[in-house]
Structures are given as C-alpha cells and as structure tokens.
Amino acid sequence: MKISKSFKIYIHIIVLSLISQNLIGAEDFSKNVIIYEKPQIISELKFKDSNLQDVDLINKRGKIMIINFWATWCAPCRKEMPSLEKLGIELPEIDIFAVNMEKPNNLKVDKFFKDIGVKNLKTYYDPELRLVKGFKLRGLPTSILINKEGKEFGKVIGEIDFASDEFIKLRSEEHTSELQSQPD
C-alpha cells in the first residue's frame, strides 16, 4: 500500500504541532505556580520534626516559609529537592520545611538525601496526614507558600526548579507584595 504525499505532510504537521505544544508547555514555568489574589488564613500548621516532636507554625510571623510536601518514591521530588536546598542556602531569610509524606523513617530519608546530594535540609513528617487534608493536596511534590504574616499566598503544584532564574524572577518581580507582610 502506497501512502500519499499529502497524508505524509499531514502526519508531519500533526507530530510537529504536538511536539511544539509540549515544548511550549514545558517552558511555561508559571503553570505550576498559583498565587492568590488575597492570602488565605491557615487554620492549622502542625507537623512533626525528625525526632517526632511537635512543630507548630500557626503563630510564626516575620519570615517567608515554604512547606514542601514530598516522598522518597516520588521521581519529581528527587529532581526538585536539590533546588529547594539551594534556595534555602541562597536566601536564608526563607524558612523551608521539607515534610515527608511517608511513615517516619529517618534512615530512609537520610539515604535519599545522600543519594541526591542534599545536606542542609531538615526532615519533617505529617504522619496523620492532617496537613495533606487541610491543604487539599492532590499530588507530590506540592509546596505551600506562606507570607510574613503567616498566611498562604500561593502554591506550587508539581516539580519546579526553585533555584532557577524564572522562580527568582517570579518571586521578586511579579509577587513582591505577596512575599512581604500585608495588613488585613
């Protein structure tokens, strides 16, 4: 059976169109970042540290916080975690809380961090999944962005490069007011 020349052209156009849409989508960094018009009040912000002691951030004010939800089995988390650590090193004025969504297991997490070259992130846990339910998480990784007033001003859904110029630009230019404390 012989395929017509016009059919071959149509197939090439369709394939090129699909490829270009995927490339454009991959380059549109802001699709993973949601910034709210009005920061939302957080009713509960409790989780456990690596010693399974309570950490309660509900009344913490004055610093920007990123609560990053992840797991050792999550491939996008594996790719994202080093950039999250780099952001924390470059911008110490941001508190980063990497909350593991698995059963607490410091040996497993330590091995995971060692395998991906992460040395400076502390491990936290949400063993009862209270935060997952409270923030209505749908997948991993997900990061909750909290302003200096302790309100959720945005969310990052899926993997991003926190150390990229795009994130720094997004953070510093477009949403500077969200990152600073805001009166009610």
Side-chain angles (χ1 to χ4, degrees):
M1 180 177 170
K2 191 173 184 178
I3 299 175
S4 72
K5 186 175 183 178
S6 62
F7 183 72
K8 288 180 186 178
I9 291 172
Y10 288 130
I11 294 298
H12 282 94
I13 290 171
I14 291 170
V15 168
L16 288 173
S17 173
L18 291 172
I19 290 171
S20 68
Q21 285 177 351
N22 284 338
L23 290 175
I24 291 169
E27 291 176 5
D28 189 0
F29 181 81
S30 65
K31 285 187 177 183
N32 290 39
V33 180
I34 300 167
I35 303 296
Y36 309 132
E37 282 186 40
K38 183 176 179 184
Q40 300 176 2
I41 294 173
I42 301 170
S43 60
E44 184 174 338
L45 198 50
K46 288 183 184 178
F47 46 91
K48 305 280 186 184
D49 67 12
S50 60
N51 296 319
L52 301 180
Q53 299 299 310
D54 286 336
V55 176
D56 189 354
L57 302 178
I58 199 65
N59 294 316
K60 184 170 172 138
R61 304 281 190 271
K63 287 186 97 174
I64 298 165
M65 295 181 281
I66 297 176
I67 312 294
N68 177 265
F69 295 93
W70 66 282
T72 59
W73 49 261
C74 169
C77 300
R78 176 179 287 273
K79 289 173 59 181
E80 178 182 77
M81 196 64 63
S83 73
L84 190 62
E85 177 186 46
K86 185 175 179 184
L87 178 70
I89 292 168
E90 291 178 0
L91 298 172
E93 65 271 17
I94 297 177
D95 282 343
I96 297 173
F97 300 91
V99 179
N100 183 278
M101 300 311 304
E102 301 164 284
K103 289 182 181 179
N105 184 336
N106 289 331
L107 294 175
K108 185 177 183 180
V109 169
D110 290 346
K111 182 184 178 333
F112 174 82
F113 279 173
K114 184 179 178 184
D115 290 347
I116 63 172
V118 170
K119 298 175 184 172
N120 296 307
L121 283 179
K122 292 181 181 176
T123 305
Y124 299 92
Y125 297 98
D126 184 20
E128 296 163 10
L129 303 178
R130 286 184 184 160
L131 291 178
V132 169
K133 293 171 188 169
F135 287 117
K136 298 176 182 154
L137 299 185
R138 299 281 185 234
L140 298 177
T142 297
S143 295
I144 306 300
L145 308 175
I146 301 172
N147 68 15
K148 292 178 180 181
E149 291 297 314
K151 295 180 182 177
E152 178 184 357
F153 73 88
K155 187 179 285 193
V156 179
I157 301 171
E159 169 201 345
I160 67 166
D161 182 357
F162 283 99
S164 71
D165 291 339
E166 292 89 358
F167 183 75
I168 300 299
K169 181 179 177 185
L170 181 73
R171 183 187 61 79
S172 63
E173 289 179 9
E174 295 179 26
H175 307 289
T176 300
S177 64
E178 295 301 334
L179 292 170
Q180 297 172 0
S181 59
Q182 296 181 356
D184 283 330

